[in-house]
Amino acid sequence: MATPHINAEQGDFAGAVLMPGDPKRAARMAEVILDTPTQVNDVRGMLGFTGTYCGEGPHYGKPLSIMGSGMGSPSIAIYATELFRFYGVDRIIRVGTAGGISPLVDVGSVIIGVGAHTTSSMNELRIPGTHFSASADLAMAAAAFQAGKDIGVFAGSIITSDHFYFTIHGQLDAMIAHGVLAVEMECASLYGVAAEYGKRALGVLTVSDHLTKHGHDMSAEQRETSFQEATRLAVAAAFC
């Protein structure tokens, strides 16, 4: 059964979906970590693939899907809703990039987004009269953290922003003071959708640039190819 944004059939998606923003990145990831991946979606160029995990370890041979989400909170909310609601998906792990905020992280650091502050209005109306707490699934976060101990993975709060270029005076300093690790554009929305449907979600993010440490930002090509460690952690979370 197709949905407005996904033309897959029932059963085409595995229970766990890794979700980068860029559909080309989804295709590249599928080539690297899935055995005989099958393309299951191409609506609006948002590519989705399903196969079995071909990496080393106890998860070899287990079904896994990978699909792009597009950029921003509204886009990932659409795909997460349709995957959770209509395709039987239970877990979505965002595997994406983030801009470093904390002085503790560097370009190339991997961050597990345990909680997501946000400047977006996507979650404002979920619980009337309440500021919704956008939180990741604890078990998946713990599994990713355990898998990333060898690389010194970071875990903590991030912020999901609707803006890429627009900034608010004083906001960066306040985020640093409150221990925010990085900024990205999707996790809070994904966590909200997961809560709505009683599903599980996590963000595993690679720092591709830094808001205060300048001069070592990743190129577009590097952003597309530098996901090995984050993907490994995301797989550990997907099968916990």
Side-chain angles (χ1 to χ4, degrees):
M1 178 191 71
T3 60
H5 305 92
I6 301 174
N7 58 1
E9 298 296 328
Q10 288 295 316
D12 281 352
F13 283 98
V17 178
L18 305 190
M19 187 164 274
D22 186 350
K24 290 183 179 180
R25 193 173 298 145
R28 185 180 184 89
M29 289 171 62
E31 290 175 0
V32 172
I33 70 169
L34 296 184
D35 186 23
T36 60
T38 299
Q39 184 174 303
V40 295
N41 186 66
D42 62 1
V43 175
R44 296 179 177 235
M46 195 56 67
L47 303 178
F49 304 87
T50 295
T52 55
Y53 180 61
C54 63
E56 297 180 354
H59 309 305
Y60 178 85
K62 292 184 178 180
L64 182 66
S65 295
I66 302 172
M67 181 172 155
S69 71
M71 294 177 65
S73 290
S75 185
I76 198 169
I78 288 171
Y79 293 112
T81 295
E82 294 183 8
L83 289 171
F84 285 147
R85 184 176 178 183
F86 300 110
Y87 287 99
V89 170
D90 177 64
R91 291 145 286 156
I92 295 178
I93 301 92
R94 166 163 153 68
V95 186
T97 56
I101 292 175
S102 169
L104 299 176
V105 304
D106 296 307
V107 171
S109 295
V110 178
I111 293 171
I112 298 167
V114 177
H117 310 294
T118 186
T119 64
S120 172
S121 63
M122 290 293 292
N123 290 331
E124 282 186 2
L125 301 180
R126 290 195 174 277
I127 305 175
T130 301
H131 294 288
F132 180 83
S133 178
S135 304
D137 179 81
L138 180 59
M140 291 204 298
F145 186 77
Q146 182 66 32
K149 281 189 173 181
D150 61 327
I151 62 168
V153 66
F154 294 85
S157 66
I158 59 173
I159 184 166
T160 298
S161 177
D162 274 348
H163 295 279
F164 190 86
Y165 292 110
F166 177 76
T167 58
I168 300 172
H169 180 70
Q171 186 180 65
L172 179 59
D173 290 339
M175 289 190 292
I176 293 172
H178 285 79
V180 178
L181 296 175
V183 58
E184 53 84 69
M185 301 183 72
E186 289 85 21
C187 281
S189 181
L190 172 62
Y191 296 173
V193 175
E196 178 181 355
Y197 288 97
K199 305 293 186 176
R200 307 167 68 195
L202 180 68
V204 181
L205 310 168
T206 301
V207 177
S208 60
D209 58 281
H210 205 288
L211 277 65
T212 61
K213 300 178 182 180
H214 303 295
H216 301 285
D217 297 355
M218 290 184 182
S219 66
E221 182 178 358
Q222 287 173 320
R223 287 196 299 270
E224 186 178 336
T225 58
S226 62
F227 281 85
Q228 293 88 345
E229 294 293 357
T231 301
R232 179 173 65 88
L233 272 59
V235 168
F239 295 119
C240 75

